[in-house]
Amino acid sequence: MKRTVTLILFFLILLHNHILIAQVDTTPPVLESFSFSPSSVNVTNGSAEITCTLRVTDNLSGSNDASVGFVSPTGKKLFCYTTLVSGTSM
């Protein structure tokens, strides 16, 4: 019984120490590159498709998503959300 209690205490101490030394991610993700094409569109007579390409990196916890916003000359806003095409999902 004493040996079981000792082992349980040992594992609890290991678990506790592991939690205390966990890394804290204080560095935000970095936008390494951004491009879109075409560089201009005319939506007078209908909608147009724009393809955005982003490269986002992070040193520890990664980045799950990103968003892109466009504003027209008249002030109309459009926001697009990204999906992972390649790389490692976090």
Side-chain angles (χ1 to χ4, degrees), residues 13-56:
I13 290 169
L14 283 177
L15 178 62
H16 180 69
N17 286 340
H18 178 70
I19 292 170
L20 291 177
I21 61 171
Q23 289 181 314
V24 177
D25 189 2
T26 58
T27 305
V30 175
L31 178 62
E32 298 284 345
S33 63
F34 170 71
S35 64
F36 61 95
S37 65
S39 59
S40 65
V41 292
N42 183 343
V43 292
T44 304
N45 297 320
S47 63
E49 185 173 304
I50 299 173
T51 301
C52 300
T53 304
L54 295 88
R55 181 171 184 261
V56 179

Side-chain angles (χ1 to χ4, degrees), residues 1-89:
M1 178 71 168
K2 185 177 180 181
R3 183 179 176 125
T4 302
V5 171
T6 303
L7 284 174
I8 291 172
L9 286 174
F10 176 73
F11 286 119
L12 287 175
I13 290 169
L14 283 177
L15 178 62
H16 180 69
N17 286 340
H18 178 70
I19 292 170
L20 291 177
I21 61 171
Q23 289 181 314
V24 177
D25 189 2
T26 58
T27 305
V30 175
L31 178 62
E32 298 284 345
S33 63
F34 170 71
S35 64
F36 61 95
S37 65
S39 59
S40 65
V41 292
N42 183 343
V43 292
T44 304
N45 297 320
S47 63
E49 185 173 304
I50 299 173
T51 301
C52 300
T53 304
L54 295 88
R55 181 171 184 261
V56 179
T57 60
D58 189 79
N59 69 330
L60 190 58
S61 64
S63 177
N64 287 332
D65 56 31
S67 61
V68 177
F70 292 95
V71 180
S72 73
T74 61
K76 187 172 182 177
K77 298 175 184 174
L78 170 68
F79 292 94
C80 305
Y81 299 93
T82 61
T83 57
L84 180 66
V85 175
S86 66
T88 304
S89 177

